[in-house]
């Protein structure tokens, strides 16, 4: 594998032990995937931030790396942590968990990474341009960056993303190369897809079928099956679900996503898959429960538009179940300025920053059941948080928050 003089110097330890370790990781990956060389990256998103997932071993790994004077060289953002970094007490998080979580954040900060703690970095300042090479490690954000923005990244793991941040490089393989960005499956959507939940159910079915392939959606765009203008925000639900039930890191939507608009992106041998009903997806993501303890909106993290939708719906109402809308801290501040946080709090709900329902220690909060409009959250919550889940549209979830019951 070709390395520049600077890359060789990093590998030799001339830039310190932290950079040497990082370059060793990048080079090892490059060798495994037979990369010809490395490519400079413009930004990095690091996952593996919640202490719930890292545990003491992960915390020690980060502390040791930070302790070697390691610093990032490119703009780097962090995935959600296990709690709201400021209002953790109000969420019922224990002091023991909070102490460990803050130690994780301090290690990242020591490396020069601001605690953005969001899985939608593209909504809060880390928004790559078309064609830019990046190294991101949050499967839903990877999917959005590749597909909706046309940037180029593989599905990095936490350590490999951090190594890319420290070296400013990643190995040039996988989705950094044109030939791997062609669609392996044509998905013919022949049923109505009209809400985020529908997009999630569709994503769940497609991810399960294509695994780590590259789907090309037909019939989903402006002239498609009733979706009527697939906004960028709504596509995050589709990509998140495919990345959860499968390992889809890139998809194309006819007439909508940038590479599909730019030309022919379908491989000659692509297999066709017909989706004529979403029922199987809804059935698979629902448990047979009626009582709802918690309603979770904002997986991936909610945009300002989504928060506004919830706030307007809740005006003058009062929730019975817990209601969490998870989002980036910056988005919450913008929502607060518009009076939306106040509206949601007046109804008894919470706009929770820095964390989410899957990476927070929900199992410690004594909750049994959750309703969500996110297929990704519905997919992971039973195993990651020990919750029984109901999955449906936003209004159905908000009704559940008001009544404490799943209706219909
Ligand atoms: Fe984001 Fe957590 Fe969902 S990291 S995509 S809100 S599981």
């Amino acid at each position: 594998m070709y390395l520049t003089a600077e890359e060789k110097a990093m590998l030799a330890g001339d830039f310190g032990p932290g950079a040497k370790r990082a370059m060793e990781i990048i080079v090892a990956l490059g060798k495994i995937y037979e990369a010809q060389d490395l490519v400079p990256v413009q930004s990095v998103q690091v996952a593996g931030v919640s202490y719930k997932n890292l545990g003491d071993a992960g915390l020690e790994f980060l502390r040791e790396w930070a302790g070697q004077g390691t610093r990032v060289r490119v703009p780097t953002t962090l995935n959600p942590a296990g709690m709201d970094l400021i209002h953790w007490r109000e969420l019922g998080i224990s002091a023991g968990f909070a102490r460990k979580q803050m130690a994780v954040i301090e290690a990242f900060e020591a490396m020069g990474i601001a605690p953005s703690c969001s899985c939608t970095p593209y909504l809060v300042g880390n928004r790559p341009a078309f064609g830019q090479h990046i190294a991101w490690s949050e499967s839903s954000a990877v999917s959005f960056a590749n597909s909706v923005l046309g940037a180029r990244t593989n599905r990095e793991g936490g350590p490999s993303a951090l190594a890319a941040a420290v070296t400013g490089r990643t190995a040039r393989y996988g989705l950094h190369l044109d030939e791997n960005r062609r669609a392996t499956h044509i998905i013919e959507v022949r049923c109505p897809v009209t809400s985020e939940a529908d997009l999630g159910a569709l994503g769940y079915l497609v991810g399960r079928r294509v695994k780590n392939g590259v789907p090309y959606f037909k019939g989903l765009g402006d002239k498609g099956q009733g979706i009527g203008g697939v906004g960028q925000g709504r596509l995050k639900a589709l990509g998140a679900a495919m990345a959860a039930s499968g390992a889809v890191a890139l998809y194309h939507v006819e007439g909508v996503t940038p590479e599909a608009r730019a030309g022919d992106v379908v491989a000659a041998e692509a297999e066709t898959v017909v989706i004529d009903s979403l029922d199987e997806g809804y059935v698979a993501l629902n448990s047979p429960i009626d009582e709802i303890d918690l309603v979770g909106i904002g997986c991936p993290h909610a945009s300002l538009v989504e928060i506004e939708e919830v706030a307007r719906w809740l005006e003058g109402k009062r929730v019975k179940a817990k209601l969490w809308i998870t989002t980036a801290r910056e988005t919450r501040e913008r929502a607060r300025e518009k009076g939306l946080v106040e509206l949601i709090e007046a109804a008894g709900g919470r706009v929770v920053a820095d964390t989410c329902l899957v990476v927070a220690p929900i199992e410690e909060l004594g909750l049994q059941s959750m309703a969500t409009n996110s297929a990704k959250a519905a997919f992971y919550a039973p195993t990651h948080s020990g919750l029984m889940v109901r999955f449906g549209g936003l209004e159905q979830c908000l009704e559940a928050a008001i009544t404490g019951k799943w209706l219909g």
Side-chain angles (χ1 to χ4, degrees):
M1 188 167 60
Y2 172 79
L3 295 181
T4 64
E6 189 183 41
E7 289 159 1
K8 281 182 187 159
M10 278 191 216
L11 195 57
D14 296 358
F15 287 72
K20 176 177 163 60
R21 178 192 278 201
M23 189 51 93
E24 284 168 353
I25 293 172
I26 299 292
V27 168
L29 282 171
K31 284 185 178 158
I32 290 168
Y33 291 103
E34 299 179 351
Q36 299 292 306
D37 63 354
L38 308 186
V39 58
V41 294
Q42 304 301 313
S43 77
V44 171
Q45 165 81 1
V46 177
V49 178
S50 170
Y51 174 71
K52 172 178 167 175
N53 299 332
L54 285 167
D56 285 331
L59 170 58
E60 275 322 300
F61 171 81
L62 289 171
R63 270 183 169 156
E64 192 195 320
W65 213 352
Q68 292 174 325
T70 311
R71 295 284 178 278
V72 298
R73 291 163 68 105
V74 294
T76 302
T77 42
L78 283 188
N79 231 34
M83 61 187 201
D84 185 313
L85 299 183
I86 296 169
H87 302 292
W88 54 269
R89 274 194 194 83
E90 294 146 49
L91 299 181
I93 305 287
S94 70
F97 183 93
R99 199 166 44 248
K100 298 277 190 175
Q101 183 61 70
M102 289 316 294
V104 170
I105 297 297
E106 281 158 19
F108 281 121
E109 284 182 319
M111 289 189 251
I113 306 172
S116 50
C117 297
S118 175
C119 53
T120 57
Y122 45 85
L123 295 180
V124 287
N126 183 0
R127 193 175 178 88
F130 182 85
Q132 266 185 358
H133 294 275
I134 58 176
W136 283 21
S137 64
E138 153 53 40
S139 66
S140 71
V142 163
S143 173
F144 195 91
N146 273 320
S147 315
V148 182
L149 304 180
R152 295 181 169 219
T153 177
N154 290 315
R155 274 169 66 118
E156 300 289 347
S160 70
L162 196 50
V166 171
T167 59
R169 314 282 202 283
T170 192
R172 196 192 302 267
Y173 70 94
L175 294 177
H176 292 283
L177 302 172
D178 288 345
E179 61 264 32
N180 298 323
R181 299 182 67 85
R182 299 184 70 73
T184 57
H185 294 76
I186 297 169
I187 313 296
E188 285 197 13
V189 183
R190 294 188 185 158
C191 53
V193 179
T194 56
S195 66
E196 275 90 343
D198 282 355
L199 283 164
L202 173 65
Y204 169 82
L205 292 173
V206 172
R208 209 174 56 168
R209 176 69 188 265
V210 310
K211 306 210 166 48
N212 65 349
V214 179
Y216 178 91
F217 288 92
K218 289 178 91 165
L220 193 60
D222 288 348
K223 299 181 188 68
Q225 303 283 320
I227 186 82
V230 181
Q232 284 196 349
R234 309 184 81 198
L235 285 177
K236 70 182 166 69
L238 176 70
M242 285 191 289
S245 65
V248 174
L250 166 66
Y251 61 91
H252 305 290
V253 181
E254 182 184 42
V256 175
T257 54
E259 283 168 71
R261 282 206 313 266
D264 180 17
V265 286
V266 182
E269 65 282 7
E271 183 190 332
T272 297
V273 176
V274 174
I275 303 283
D276 49 20
S277 167
L278 304 177
D279 291 353
E280 209 187 321
Y282 276 102
V283 169
L285 293 168
N286 268 277
S287 307
I289 44 160
D290 298 325
E291 305 291 320
I292 300 297
D293 297 336
L294 168 70
V295 174
I297 308 295
C299 169
H301 271 176
S303 65
L304 193 58
V305 172
E306 289 168 303
I307 295 174
E308 177 144 30
E309 214 179 329
V310 173
R312 299 290 169 224
W313 194 93
L314 284 175
E315 246 180 302
K317 301 187 178 85
R318 185 82 199 157
V319 297
K320 194 167 172 193
K322 278 184 190 291
L323 169 64
W324 282 20
I325 298 107
T326 49
T327 190
R329 179 165 296 278
E330 188 182 319
T331 307
R332 183 169 70 180
E333 285 320 305
R334 280 193 266 151
R336 194 183 295 286
E337 283 160 20
K338 290 187 79 176
L340 304 174
V341 173
E342 207 180 352
L343 279 177
I344 291 167
E345 287 177 351
R350 300 197 71 99
V351 182
V352 177
D354 308 323
T355 189
C356 81
L357 297 149
V358 173
V359 301
I362 296 288
E363 60 282 3
E364 291 178 8
L365 306 186
L367 304 167
Q368 309 294 325
S369 58
M370 176 175 90
T372 181
N373 64 343
S374 162
K376 178 175 175 176
F379 183 82
Y380 283 123
T383 49
H384 281 54
S385 303
L387 294 170
M388 303 273 275
V389 177
R390 278 292 186 180
F391 165 66
L394 178 64
E395 281 205 16
Q396 204 174 2
C397 289
L398 293 176
E399 290 284 3
I402 298 295
T403 61
K405 297 205 181 309
W406 187 257
L407 306 170

